[in-house]
Amino acid sequence: MRHHLILRVVTKLLVGTIFLFALYVQFHGDYSPGGGFQAGVIMAVGFIIYGLVFTLKKAKKVFPPWLVHKIIALGVLVYAGTGVYSLMTGYTFLDYAAIDPHHPVHGQHLGILIVELGVGITVTGVMVAIYYAFAARAPSLSDEDW
Amino acid sequence: MVVTAISVVRARSLFAIVTLSGVFSLLSALLFIRLDAVDVAFTEAAVGAGISTVLMLGTLALTSRSERSDKRPQIIPLLAVVATGALLFYATLDMPNFGSLDAPAQTHLGPDFLERIPGDIDVPNAVTAILASYRGFDTLGEVAVVFTAGIGVLMLISRLALRRPEDEEDDQEGST
């Protein structure tokens, strides 16, 4: 897509905004629609659109596949780790009051934030990994093919 | 939505079908908004209309562009579809009317959660509170499913071990 000047300029402008929106959806999920699942998808879309317009190679330089594979597992670990932490501190599994025993409501806030972060990380990783897997196999198409 | 669905069935070009299913997802997102389920609509728009269209197009690049035409009469599938549709319609007869205040969800669960959330969790978005806290186990399961699906796709199509030597070649080309 070397010659699509408009696409490249618009993408450059948009990618940052997409990431910002993903973070907003991620951390503002308590107050507005959205949460980890949606934020993860939006975050992944940012990387995918970058990979589509500027080649896959550049996208892999920004977000290398080994890192993608690691963060898929990291998200699940963050989520389950929260549960294990609350077990360790003598509460039931995934009882977020464990995080702040003096103020259970704060603990709930933090717990939801951490857990949603785990969800977001895993979803981002999985979506980007699937995109990489498909795009790496596809022969690069010229525009006339479509 | 009905028009889009019928065009998906009628169309032969897979590119058109993928695009139309994206349109279908977007329309169902609008339907969810009409039902006041903003979180679900958000997910549908992002996943259904956004990511899955891109992934489908990626798959399309691996296979052929158009569907093989099949002229045989397809009575059994038609019967199955009609029967399922009739069953679903029959099931909706028992459902409370749209927006009815007497619906079970409005009389027991909804008010109960809405009363408890300010004291227990104090998060304005009730959906997030239920999803992440009351139903934390369930959501953990969902994340595990996403994780497993991702690993499965990677195992099936990326052939990591086989491609490693090629990748190294690519890197060398890039550096020289």
Side-chain angles (χ1 to χ4, degrees):
Chain A
M1 290 218 182
R2 195 164 289 275
H3 52 281
H4 288 300
L5 182 65
I6 296 178
L7 267 183
R8 282 192 293 143
V9 172
V10 171
T11 310
K12 258 185 193 164
L13 281 176
L14 273 182
V15 167
T17 323
I18 292 175
F19 286 155
L20 201 62
F21 185 58
L23 290 175
Y24 166 75
V25 172
Q26 173 79 57
F27 292 110
H28 213 255
D30 303 1
Y31 300 94
S32 58
F37 287 98
Q38 292 90 337
V41 170
I42 295 171
M43 189 67 108
V45 163
F47 287 111
I48 289 176
I49 201 172
Y50 187 83
L52 281 176
V53 174
F54 310 91
T55 53
L56 182 67
K57 211 171 186 174
K58 276 193 177 165
K60 278 188 174 171
K61 224 171 241 170
V62 177
F63 198 22
W66 61 264
L67 184 64
V68 178
H69 297 159
K70 296 285 184 296
I71 73 165
I72 294 178
L74 177 71
V76 182
L77 281 180
V78 167
Y79 199 134
T82 316
V84 173
Y85 174 79
S86 63
L87 268 187
M88 294 292 187
T89 45
Y91 287 80
T92 49
F93 189 63
L94 286 176
D95 186 352
Y96 309 134
I99 296 170
D100 191 349
H102 306 297
H103 204 317
V105 174
H106 279 180
Q108 291 282 354
H109 278 214
L110 266 177
I112 290 178
L113 211 64
I114 295 171
V115 157
E116 293 275 2
L117 188 64
V119 175
I121 290 174
T122 294
V123 172
T124 310
V126 167
M127 290 298 167
V128 174
I130 292 177
Y131 166 69
Y132 279 174
F134 272 108
R137 289 196 64 172
S140 54
L141 296 166
S142 63
D143 297 324
E144 289 76 30
D145 285 351
W146 295 107
Chain B
M1 277 179 85
V2 175
V3 174
T4 330
I6 292 175
S7 355
V8 168
V9 176
R10 300 288 303 172
R12 280 284 166 264
S13 156
L14 286 177
F15 183 71
I17 292 178
V18 170
T19 318
L20 282 171
S21 14
V23 173
F24 187 82
S25 284
L26 211 55
L27 288 176
S28 34
L30 290 179
L31 180 71
F32 290 135
I33 288 182
R34 174 78 187 81
L35 293 170
D36 270 349
V38 197
D39 285 80
V40 186
F42 202 163
T43 318
E44 180 69 38
V47 179
I51 283 252
S52 54
T53 310
V54 172
L55 289 181
M56 290 284 232
L57 288 177
T59 325
L60 211 60
L62 297 176
T63 60
S64 64
R65 290 297 137 69
S66 56
E67 201 176 347
R68 261 180 299 150
S69 61
D70 193 353
K71 290 284 176 243
R72 279 176 301 163
Q74 294 166 322
I75 298 295
I76 298 172
L78 185 68
L79 276 180
V81 169
V82 170
T84 321
L87 264 177
L88 286 176
F89 267 109
Y90 177 68
T92 56
L93 293 181
D94 278 348
M95 274 170 66
N97 287 330
F98 173 63
S100 152
L101 282 175
D102 307 330
Q106 307 286 0
T107 50
H108 303 297
L109 271 179
D112 188 35
F113 272 122
L114 288 181
E115 260 173 40
R116 288 173 52 169
I117 284 171
D120 284 357
I121 301 176
D122 196 24
V123 159
N125 185 1
V127 176
T128 305
I130 294 177
L131 199 80
S133 190
Y134 292 115
R135 274 192 15 185
F137 275 46
D138 201 273
T139 310
L140 178 61
E142 282 168 22
V143 179
V145 166
V146 171
F147 171 73
T148 322
I151 299 292
V153 169
L154 285 181
M155 300 271 274
L156 279 175
I157 64 172
S158 78
R159 296 178 304 173
L160 281 176
L162 288 179
R163 197 178 294 112
R164 218 157 254 158
E166 289 173 31
D167 272 353
E168 279 160 16
E169 280 170 25
D170 281 354
D171 290 346
Q172 283 161 6
E173 280 166 25
S175 59
T176 47

